[in-house]
Amino acid sequence: MEPDEKKAMIRDIALQVIVISIAIVSFLWMHGIPQRLYAKLRHRPPNPRAVQAKSHFVKGAQLVAQARRSKSASVTVSLAKQALEEAEKAIALDPKDAASHFLKSMALDLQGFRSNALDALDAALSPLAAASLAADERGDALLKRAELKISLSERRVDSVLADLNESVKLSPRNPKAWCMLGECYEENEMGEEAKKAYKEALQLEPQLNVAQEALNRLGSS
């Protein structure tokens, strides 16, 4: 390959990285996925495999967004299946990117495969992919994993509590995490711990009615 051709190819790849990154940030902003997942991408030299992985991620993310907007259950499932295919392609190219595992989890959850969605989140939180997550992002991921565990009919209370306690430790300013921790404590008749968690949630979000109603129910001012 001639030097000029090589330079042109590198410029093309760099441009693709920029375009894909913009699309990713837009999607993450809309759907509350940790946006700093891609901080490292901006500092990496252009890499054809990474670019391909991000391209598949963007396609999958767009399909998930469409699936969430759809009012037809059959269309939602069809789009989610396509999103899953894109997520798996992205993971095959870059298994260390937690974002693609998150995408896979969302696509599976939309299809009702919550157990498999939980497995995908486990992969995102595994040592292989966890390096791409900041502390508060791991906290958000643990919260989502706890939500999935709670949604399953068979779950271990200690496992859910472990995820939620670690979540509030890593992301202490997330009122939703504190509130869910309070709910979990309350369901397991751990009243004092529940009150403390609900109070933390209210300090962060004073208008959080669920937490205030819970405190009223538990007899706390």
Side-chain angles (χ1 to χ4, degrees):
M1 181 181 293
E2 296 295 328
D4 289 344
E5 293 178 348
K6 186 175 181 180
K7 289 179 181 178
M9 183 187 73
I10 292 173
R11 284 196 301 270
D12 289 343
I13 292 173
L15 180 60
Q16 290 179 56
V17 169
I18 293 170
V19 171
I20 290 171
S21 297
I22 291 171
I24 288 170
V25 169
S26 298
F27 174 80
L28 299 180
W29 180 266
M30 290 171 59
H31 297 282
I33 304 170
Q35 295 181 39
R36 287 192 299 278
L37 286 171
Y38 289 92
K40 292 186 178 181
L41 174 62
R42 294 195 296 270
H43 302 293
R44 292 177 186 170
N47 181 310
R49 285 180 64 85
V51 170
Q52 290 177 35
K54 300 310 173 190
S55 178
H56 287 301
F57 174 87
V58 170
K59 290 177 183 176
Q62 291 171 341
L63 288 163
V64 164
Q66 293 173 34
R68 285 181 165 179
R69 290 196 301 266
S70 175
K71 297 180 180 180
S72 166
S74 61
V75 171
T76 294
V77 170
S78 177
L79 290 168
K81 286 180 178 178
Q82 295 176 58
L84 178 59
E85 292 177 1
E86 295 298 333
E88 289 179 334
K89 290 175 183 177
I91 291 168
L93 289 163
D94 190 359
K96 296 181 179 180
D97 189 346
S100 296
H101 293 287
F102 277 119
L103 178 63
K104 180 176 180 179
S105 179
M106 287 189 292
L108 287 165
D109 194 18
L110 283 168
Q111 296 177 68
F113 302 136
R114 289 180 174 173
S115 180
N116 292 331
L118 182 59
D119 290 340
L121 264 183
D122 287 340
L125 288 163
S126 69
L128 180 68
S132 66
L133 297 170
D136 58 338
E137 293 165 348
R138 290 199 303 276
D140 293 341
L142 286 162
L143 172 60
K144 180 60 180 175
R145 187 165 73 176
E147 289 178 341
L148 281 172
K149 288 178 180 179
I150 289 171
S151 71
L152 295 171
S153 57
E154 295 182 5
R155 63 180 190 273
R156 294 178 58 187
V157 173
D158 56 347
S159 176
V160 174
L161 281 173
D163 276 357
L164 291 173
N165 274 297
E166 186 67 13
S167 176
V168 297
K169 184 185 299 183
L170 293 168
S171 186
R173 299 196 60 78
N174 187 338
K176 183 178 180 181
W178 282 108
C179 192
M180 186 173 292
L181 179 59
E183 290 172 348
C184 194
Y185 278 136
E186 185 179 0
E187 288 176 4
N188 289 279
E189 300 182 352
M190 302 171 71
E192 292 305 313
E193 291 86 350
K195 290 178 185 178
K196 181 180 177 181
Y198 286 133
K199 287 177 180 178
E200 291 285 352
L202 278 175
Q203 286 182 2
L204 293 167
E205 191 174 328
Q207 304 304 316
L208 191 59
N209 292 332
V210 173
Q212 185 59 65
E213 289 171 0
L215 285 174
N216 294 339
R217 185 170 58 249
L218 291 168
S220 176
S221 56

